[in-house]
Amino acid sequence: HDGYRWGVSCYDVHPCAANAKPGGKYAFVLAQIGKPGWPFLTFLDGMKQQAKALEAKSGGTVEIVLLIPPEDAQNMPAKTRAHLKQYEV
């Protein structure tokens, strides 16, 4: 983003956040290379709670996104897929 358009140097997140417009789209982005093992992403419950808190505070939307190569995604066990679906990843 371009904090300078708002007249704020964005080296410090707090001044930028204070001048941010309400709403917007945000994401927590995770990356995985290789077939996920189990247990996998055991912190998703807490991350989802933080996403909901950020949505409530910002008036925006927050998604949890997992970047994973197609071949690794295709080999993902059903248990792992269900875990991701549970937290809307």
Side-chain angles (χ1 to χ4, degrees), residues 21-56:
K21 296 175 185 171
K25 294 183 179 186
Y26 306 92
F28 292 127
V29 180
L30 308 165
Q32 169 71 28
I33 296 176
K35 181 181 173 184
W38 191 260
F40 182 63
L41 300 179
T42 57
F43 53 82
L44 284 179
D45 184 58
M47 184 176 272
K48 187 65 173 181
Q49 289 176 26
Q50 289 296 312
K52 288 184 181 290
L54 181 56
E55 286 178 339

Side-chain angles (χ1 to χ4, degrees), residues 30-41 66-77 80-81 84:
L30 308 165
Q32 169 71 28
I33 296 176
K35 181 181 173 184
W38 191 260
F40 182 63
L41 300 179
L66 175 63
L67 302 176
I68 185 169
E71 59 274 7
D72 295 331
Q74 290 171 352
N75 294 321
M76 190 180 299
T80 303
R81 288 183 188 279
L84 294 174

